[in-house]
Amino acid sequence: MGRLFVVNLEGEGNIYSCKHCRTHLALSQHIVSKSFHSRHGKAYLFSKVVNVSFGEKDDRQMTTGMHTVADIFCVGCGSLVGWKYEIAHENGQKYKEGKSVLERFKVSGPDDGSSYWSSQEAHGGGSDADDV
Ligand SMILES: [Zn+2]
């Protein structure tokens, strides 16, 4: 496998990075909502993520309806870190299209501080929800 170009977000703001390998994944100013959930706890919706690769597109029934999503993997270590919304099938959920969710317990961020996000096994994207 070729060497991957990794975007460095240093100096751009508060960084969320992969908990396993510290690869930068997103910035706090790109958070759209902190009201999402995975099967494992809290998750954040970002308008932009970097240094990720995408899995196969998959139709999933989420809390807020049917969505076509792709799992997101850290390019540094291959960990599953969240999912991206390709298509939201429900009207009213369209704002999610093209945006990505990172599972909070998979990333280190500026608002770390509790051990609530204990490490658990992940098995692909789970539920979702939002504050709309
Ligand atoms: Zn990683």
Side-chain angles (χ1 to χ4, degrees), residues 17-23 25 73-79 81 106:
S17 54
C18 175
K19 213 163 221 177
H20 298 283
C21 70
R22 299 290 178 190
T23 296
L25 298 175
F73 301 91
C74 169
V75 296
C77 65
S79 290
V81 292
K106 303 288 275 187

Side-chain angles (χ1 to χ4, degrees), residues 12-120:
E12 309 241 351
N14 293 320
I15 297 165
Y16 288 88
S17 54
C18 175
K19 213 163 221 177
H20 298 283
C21 70
R22 299 290 178 190
T23 296
H24 297 166
L25 298 175
L27 290 164
S28 61
Q29 62 259 42
H30 294 140
I31 291 174
V32 178
S33 171
K34 291 187 174 182
S35 305
F36 281 64
H37 310 279
S38 72
R39 281 188 198 136
H40 316 286
K42 270 198 160 184
Y44 294 173
L45 183 69
F46 289 87
S47 58
K48 185 181 169 187
V49 293
V50 297
N51 301 326
V52 294
S53 62
F54 299 100
E56 302 256 316
K57 286 181 190 151
D58 190 22
D59 288 335
R60 287 187 197 151
Q61 185 65 42
M62 303 282 208
T63 309
T64 53
M66 184 62 82
H67 295 77
T68 303
V69 301
D71 285 331
I72 297 175
F73 301 91
C74 169
V75 296
C77 65
S79 290
L80 178 67
V81 292
W83 64 89
K84 179 182 180 182
Y85 292 100
E86 299 285 351
I87 301 165
H89 296 259
E90 304 278 332
N91 287 331
Q93 303 299 324
K94 296 281 184 192
Y95 73 96
K96 293 180 202 163
E97 290 182 353
K99 298 190 175 69
S100 300
V101 168
L102 295 180
E103 297 200 53
R104 190 61 189 86
F105 83 97
K106 303 288 275 187
V107 297
S108 300
D111 47 359
D112 279 350
S114 81
S115 55
Y116 179 79
W117 325 112
S118 57
S119 197
Q120 298 173 59

